[in-house]
Amino acid sequence: MARIELIDRKDGLDPDQARLFDWIVGSRGELVRPFQVLLHAPEQAEHIARLGHVVRFESGLDGADRELAILATGRAHGCDYVWDTHVDLARREGTSPAAIAHLDGEVGDLAPREAAILDMVGELCSASSLSASTFARVESHLGAKGAVELSVLVGYYTLLGYAMASFDACHVPGEA
């Protein structure tokens, strides 16, 4: 059970929370779990939601690459919610079954682009830094803009994971 009440209805929200609730639902189709936590702090939640909109819907990253990085970041931080909500989307966006299986611990060959993305996510999540060789590999596949967007994506999903983990909202019993 989450440590704080998850906000999942508009009833009882103050005007700032209600306005943001509507914007998030309009942007994402529903009030997703991270914002059920973050809406307790609407000023921060608003900026985080707007950044998330850019990361998810306005980035130049290919959908398969974006979703692979999201899944890898969720796995790196032990946030099942991220995996559960993005694995089907990753498949629809064209993330390879081999890359998804790799994140589930299976050994197999990855395309060089996938390996570079996963190495970057892994280094950022484990060491908060990026080696020159991994950066060069990522930049060769995604360009400088793509490498920056990928680093922002990792930071964004790390922020969401930490926010949910702080309030025990990454793993909610009885939820798929």
Side-chain angles (χ1 to χ4, degrees):
M1 174 161 234
R3 292 182 179 133
I4 60 175
E5 179 183 351
L6 297 176
I7 297 171
D8 59 1
R9 292 183 313 278
K10 195 172 167 181
D11 302 341
L13 298 180
D14 70 36
D16 287 338
Q17 289 173 309
R19 178 187 51 76
L20 185 54
F21 182 103
D22 289 341
W23 188 87
I24 293 168
V25 169
S27 171
R28 291 158 173 83
E30 64 181 317
L31 188 69
V32 293
R33 170 72 50 73
F35 294 100
Q36 292 177 1
V37 170
L38 293 168
L39 207 53
H40 285 280
E43 297 81 12
Q44 287 89 3
E46 181 169 4
H47 294 286
I48 294 166
R50 292 189 187 285
L51 173 60
H53 183 84
V54 172
V55 166
R56 287 277 315 281
F57 306 114
E58 297 176 8
S59 164
L61 291 174
D62 167 274
D65 294 342
R66 181 189 67 242
E67 292 301 323
L68 175 61
I70 292 169
L71 289 176
T73 304
R75 276 289 195 243
H77 295 302
C79 190
D80 293 340
Y81 173 81
V82 171
W83 180 271
D84 292 344
T85 58
H86 283 270
V87 69
D88 288 337
L89 182 56
R91 290 181 181 113
R92 286 193 304 272
E93 289 288 336
T95 304
S96 78
I100 294 170
H102 177 81
L103 290 170
D104 254 345
E106 294 183 25
V107 177
D109 292 330
L110 296 173
R113 181 183 186 103
E114 295 168 333
I117 289 168
L118 291 177
D119 287 348
M120 180 170 173
V121 172
E123 288 179 27
L124 289 174
C125 290
S126 67
S128 298
S129 65
L130 186 61
S131 69
S133 62
T134 299
F135 170 75
R137 289 173 41 232
V138 168
E139 186 181 35
S140 75
H141 292 287
L142 303 179
K145 180 181 184 225
V148 169
E149 289 182 343
L150 182 58
S151 70
V152 170
L153 179 149
V154 172
Y156 173 74
Y157 279 91
T158 296
L159 173 107
L160 295 183
Y162 284 2
M164 288 188 291
S166 295
F167 302 101
D168 207 19
C170 276
H171 319 283
V172 174
E175 184 174 83

